[in-house]
Amino acid sequence: MTAPPPAPTRSWLRERSELGFCVLLFVLGVLVLTDALTMDVDLTQRGPVGPRTVPVVVGAGLLVVAVLLAVDVLRGGRGEAEAGEDVDLAEPADRRTVALLTGVFLAFAVLIGPLGFPIAGALLFWGSAYALGSRHHDRDPLIAAGLSFVTYFVFDHLLGVPLPGGPLMGVL
């Protein structure tokens, strides 16, 4: 018994799979524009460059790129298959590394509230380094803590973006 031939619509879509990415970009552009245009803005925040400017430009850019890419794909344009740099495509994915990184990011999301950014960030940076293969157990936690505290200081004090300080709030 032979398998039935694929439906013509399905093979047409399979040959133009980039159209799915075009749809994703278009939907994302519509969401960004909708969010930007429905944003509450005080009269004091209005001006030539207000809080809506960048989201509107990014949303419009996403829509333009989605349409241009769709036109290119429908005209026969195809993306080149990536050969990979030093990647052996015959090897399976490293599921352990992906699982460790996922766990580190989830732990960060849970711990940032109670511990604050400096401590949770240090755990994030150290855990990411460990998951990606670094085995310098004496130096990695120190670098992670330094990077986390510098990031906290730059965002919270220099840029004015408030990050949770956790138990270290009074110290920092």
Side-chain angles (χ1 to χ4, degrees):
M1 236 177 12
T2 61
T9 305
R10 191 170 192 182
S11 66
W12 185 86
L13 284 175
R14 203 169 262 202
E15 292 174 5
R16 291 162 186 82
S17 60
E18 292 93 346
L19 290 175
F21 188 68
C22 297
V23 170
L24 177 69
L25 284 178
F26 192 84
V27 168
L28 190 61
V30 168
L31 286 173
V32 169
L33 279 175
T34 302
D35 195 37
L37 296 176
T38 59
M39 183 185 307
D40 289 334
V41 179
D42 292 340
L43 289 174
T44 58
Q45 294 177 332
R46 291 189 183 164
V49 179
R52 289 184 179 168
T53 305
V54 172
V56 167
V57 169
V58 169
L62 285 169
L63 293 177
V64 168
V65 168
V67 169
L68 291 176
L69 181 59
V71 168
D72 181 54
V73 169
L74 292 174
R75 287 185 176 174
R78 301 278 304 167
E80 292 182 27
E82 186 174 340
E85 295 175 14
D86 291 335
V87 178
D88 185 5
L89 298 176
E91 288 292 318
D94 185 5
R95 296 185 192 277
R96 179 182 179 272
T97 301
V98 173
L100 283 172
L101 283 173
T102 302
V104 166
F105 285 120
L106 289 175
F108 174 74
V110 169
L111 295 174
I112 193 169
L115 296 180
F117 183 85
I119 296 172
L123 292 172
L124 169 74
F125 295 139
W126 174 78
S128 298
Y130 180 81
L132 293 172
S134 179
R135 297 299 181 256
H136 297 281
H137 301 298
D138 53 341
R139 145 185 105 173
D140 287 346
L142 298 174
I143 293 173
L147 184 59
S148 180
F149 281 102
V150 166
T151 303
Y152 176 79
F153 180 78
V154 167
F155 275 85
D156 198 60
H157 296 290
L158 298 180
L159 296 176
V161 177
L163 295 175
L168 300 176
M169 187 65 124
V171 178
L172 301 174

